[in-house]
Amino acid sequence: MKLLDIMHMKKSYGGLQVLKDFALKVDEGEVVSIIGPSGSGKSTMLRCATLLEKMDRGIIKYEGRYLVQDLDRRCVYAKKEELRELQRYFGLVFQNFNLFPHFTVMKNVIDPLITVDNMPKEEALVRGEKLLAQLGLSDKANAYPYQLSGGQQQRVSIARALALQPRVLFFDEPTSALDPELTGEVLKVIKELAKEKMTMVIVTHEMQFARELSDRIVFMEDGAILEEGTPEEIFSSKNERVQNFIGKF
């Protein structure tokens, strides 16, 4: 089943066109890694797909339902009620964790359930406990973010994104703020999610990880897709630009 369908996505900041007719289709259960040089539009694409940025032109559909339509040469977003429903389809894990420093780990995880989903606190706590156990953080429920390592903070942010049970999880460079030792523990969590057939779109510079985990890899440059294919196809690409980029890693 086609879970995500992005077509003709365009985004400019002033006179700088960051996304140029970007398109991406993601099937349920698929893991897609987005690679490419800094400034190629990878993070902007994620921010547009998750409503953190408004795009200039284009279409986004989740499971066939329009989040954004392109009508009369402009983007028309779904009405408020439907927008709220469609927001449940996705979660986003940021590179810099974005945890609330004055909330405990448990409160960071369950707060969206209570404030967004109006879930009773007792029910939210049960879900929060399960997620923290799944991510090896049961003993950190009452800790605050400053008391955690970077890897632990990122695992909390993954738990928070999973709490609302999204259909697709977006990751924006989830290990870029971590040292190599802590990177491993976060990548392990993502691998476990892949085994459970979680649909994921991952912007990453971890080439070996992308190669091992992805069903498909998309190489972006200058706001557009230069090449996409299976890991085998991308890592054996004859495209000189793709070869040079992967070679650096």
Side-chain angles (χ1 to χ4, degrees):
M1 181 193 292
K2 198 71 64 192
L3 192 52
L4 171 65
D5 196 354
I6 297 172
M7 293 173 274
H8 309 300
M9 182 185 275
K10 296 174 184 174
K11 177 68 179 175
S12 296
Y13 295 103
L16 178 66
Q17 194 172 13
V18 181
L19 291 171
K20 306 167 185 173
D21 208 34
F22 178 86
L24 179 70
K25 295 180 192 297
V26 181
D27 288 330
E28 188 171 11
E30 192 177 20
V31 177
V32 179
S33 288
I34 314 280
I35 64 171
S38 296
S40 58
K42 305 184 300 295
S43 293
T44 301
M45 181 276 293
L46 285 193
R47 292 178 68 81
C48 288
T50 56
L51 297 177
L52 292 176
E53 296 272 0
K54 278 199 166 186
M55 55 194 204
D56 302 328
R57 296 289 302 276
I59 295 166
I60 302 176
K61 291 195 282 187
Y62 282 97
E63 232 173 49
R65 297 174 66 185
Y66 283 100
L67 182 77
V68 192
Q69 296 187 64
D70 200 323
L71 300 171
D72 300 325
R73 296 182 173 270
R74 65 189 182 91
C75 282
V76 178
Y77 283 76
K79 289 189 166 58
K80 193 174 180 181
E81 200 58 45
E82 185 157 27
L83 209 57
R84 194 177 291 123
E85 280 182 38
L86 288 165
Q87 281 180 288
R88 299 180 59 83
Y89 275 87
F90 55 80
L92 175 60
V93 177
F94 300 88
Q95 54 184 301
N96 293 317
F97 323 136
N98 279 28
L99 298 174
F100 291 110
H102 56 296
F103 284 5
T104 62
V105 164
M106 179 62 84
K107 189 165 170 56
N108 264 290
V109 172
I110 68 171
D111 191 62
L113 293 174
I114 296 166
T115 58
V116 177
D117 265 11
N118 298 315
M119 184 181 282
K121 188 176 180 182
E122 296 72 23
E123 199 179 324
L125 282 167
V126 170
R127 188 179 295 182
E129 283 164 6
K130 282 183 183 171
L131 283 166
L132 291 182
Q134 180 186 341
L135 295 175
L137 293 163
S138 292
D139 60 333
K140 302 295 182 186
N142 296 314
Y144 288 87
Y146 77 90
Q147 297 172 308
L148 307 179
S149 70
Q152 288 168 334
Q153 288 187 61
Q154 191 59 295
R155 281 186 281 153
V156 174
S157 69
I158 292 170
R160 179 180 59 187
L162 288 170
L164 289 166
Q165 299 181 329
R167 301 292 307 281
V168 55
L169 203 50
F170 294 96
F171 291 85
D172 187 8
E173 299 279 9
T175 59
S176 69
L178 305 175
D179 63 38
E181 192 176 349
L182 298 177
T183 291
E185 68 183 64
V186 173
L187 297 183
K188 184 182 173 190
V189 168
I190 298 173
K191 284 178 183 176
E192 289 300 318
L193 291 173
K195 280 184 196 168
E196 294 167 15
K197 293 296 178 189
M198 181 77 204
T199 309
M200 293 184 281
V201 178
I202 307 167
V203 169
T204 183
H205 276 116
E206 299 285 340
M207 291 300 111
Q208 192 55 38
F209 170 72
R211 185 176 196 165
E212 288 172 16
L213 191 74
S214 310
D215 297 300
R216 192 154 42 97
I217 296 176
V218 172
F219 183 91
M220 279 185 76
E221 186 164 62
D222 295 328
I225 293 175
L226 186 63
E227 191 161 352
E228 70 176 295
T230 64
E232 293 74 23
E233 287 167 344
I234 294 298
F235 278 81
S236 60
S237 171
K238 299 291 189 285
N239 185 297
E240 194 176 333
R241 180 68 188 97
V242 177
Q243 279 182 345
N244 288 343
F245 180 83
I246 289 172
K248 287 177 183 172
F249 293 89

